[in-house]
Amino acid sequence: QVVLQKELELDQAHRELARIKKRQRSVGHDLARLKLSYRELYQHAPVMYFSTDSEGRLVTFNDTLVHTLGYDRRQLQGQNYTALLAPATLKSYVTIAESMPSQEGELETQWRKRNGTLIDVWLHTVPVYDEAGNFVRYRSAALDLTEKNRLANELRSRGDELERTNQRLLTINGELEAFTHVVSHDLKEPLRTLQAYSHILAEEHAARLGPDGFQYINHLIRASKRLGKLIDELLTLSQAGRIT
């Protein structure tokens, strides 16, 4: 009876051990898939990720950085971070210091691709420490802002151009308004003379003009009134675009 009980307990222990091993294999597979997913996310993220040691050497970096800059991975491994900087930045220690990750924070700088093309880069850096509080490395994320900055500059340029065009248009409108007033005045001056003498002829000399002459004068007065009205309407039309 005791032997049978021991065999049952041993069999149960074996089954429990098999279940635990199966569970471990499942957890191992899940962990492997998680690591693969993390690696894929890290390597192909839209952001350039990289790490540098205390000497500023590139320790790790994702495929996005490699492809963006056009290098082979072996060409960048172990290189100093300054190898990424634009030539103008390398001319002084001050500009180098201002363009390198030195503490937690953000900055904008310029990098040089392998083919010499310069790109604008936004950089965010975080220092990493071990359990004893000793510095280990810097972890940084970089984003290519070249196209964004180009579009922003183009937008500003077009805005400035539009402002200049508006100013020219205002000047032209002012000149047009002044011209319209001058033309209106120059047209009305001889018209007023014509109307004045027409009325004098109609009022003071109608008897000597006869019926036909008086009719001609009336035609002349009506025509001059119509011409005066046309000049006023022309002036109103020229101002129509400036009426709210």
Side-chain angles (χ1 to χ4, degrees):
Q1 185 70 23
V2 174
V3 173
L4 181 59
Q5 181 66 27
K6 292 293 184 180
E7 289 179 351
L8 290 175
E9 291 177 355
L10 183 61
D11 183 61
Q12 184 177 359
H14 284 163
R15 287 197 299 271
E16 181 65 18
L17 180 60
R19 187 185 66 80
I20 292 174
K21 288 183 177 180
K22 182 178 180 181
R23 177 60 180 166
Q24 287 179 335
R25 287 194 298 270
S26 177
V27 171
H29 292 157
D30 291 342
L31 183 59
R33 286 195 297 269
L34 183 61
K35 287 182 178 180
L36 180 60
S37 297
Y38 172 77
R39 178 179 174 80
E40 290 293 324
L41 180 62
Y42 174 80
Q43 294 293 348
H44 304 296
V47 178
M48 295 177 281
Y49 293 119
F50 66 97
S51 298
T52 54
D53 60 18
S54 58
E55 300 298 325
R57 294 185 294 262
L58 294 170
V59 180
T60 60
F61 42 88
N62 65 352
D63 290 343
T64 304
L65 184 143
V66 174
H67 296 154
T68 300
L69 299 183
Y71 286 97
D72 183 89
R73 179 170 288 275
R74 290 171 298 180
Q75 294 175 308
L76 290 178
Q77 191 68 49
Q79 288 290 329
N80 195 281
Y81 170 77
T82 55
L84 306 181
L85 298 177
T89 306
L90 297 173
K91 290 183 178 180
S92 71
Y93 289 109
V94 174
T95 53
I96 292 175
E98 291 176 346
S99 303
M100 293 182 64
S102 59
Q103 57 185 356
E104 183 172 1
E106 301 177 2
L107 59 87
E108 286 194 28
T109 185
Q110 272 196 329
W111 286 0
R112 179 179 60 180
K113 300 171 69 172
R114 183 183 181 185
N115 61 8
T117 303
L118 301 182
I119 61 174
D120 300 324
V121 175
W122 168 85
L123 193 63
H124 182 269
T125 300
V126 177
V128 179
Y129 302 91
D130 61 18
E131 295 179 354
N134 299 315
F135 172 79
V136 178
R137 64 181 60 180
Y138 290 110
R139 286 180 180 166
S140 301
L143 189 62
D144 185 356
L145 299 180
T146 307
E147 184 64 14
K148 173 180 174 293
N149 289 347
R150 185 191 68 80
L151 292 175
N153 292 333
E154 183 177 347
L155 184 60
R156 280 194 295 269
S157 175
R158 298 214 175 162
D160 294 340
E161 183 180 352
L162 180 60
E163 181 64 24
R164 289 192 296 269
T165 302
N166 286 338
Q167 290 298 327
R168 288 198 299 269
L169 184 59
L170 289 174
T171 301
I172 292 172
N173 283 340
E175 293 174 350
L176 178 60
E177 184 174 0
F179 173 76
T180 304
H181 281 290
V182 169
V183 170
S184 175
H185 178 272
D186 290 349
L187 289 176
K188 281 187 174 181
E189 182 60 31
L191 180 59
R192 283 193 290 267
T193 302
L194 180 61
Q195 289 174 334
Y197 282 103
S198 297
H199 283 94
I200 292 174
L201 286 174
E203 293 172 359
E204 298 181 6
H205 303 280
R208 284 184 287 175
L209 291 174
D212 290 339
F214 186 75
Q215 186 178 2
Y216 297 154
I217 291 298
N218 284 333
H219 283 310
L220 185 59
I221 292 174
R222 286 195 297 269
S224 62
K225 287 181 179 180
R226 287 198 304 272
L227 181 56
K229 185 179 180 181
L230 286 173
I231 293 174
D232 290 336
E233 290 176 347
L234 178 63
L235 182 60
T236 302
L237 177 63
S238 69
Q239 296 173 341
R242 293 182 291 277
I243 297 175
T244 303

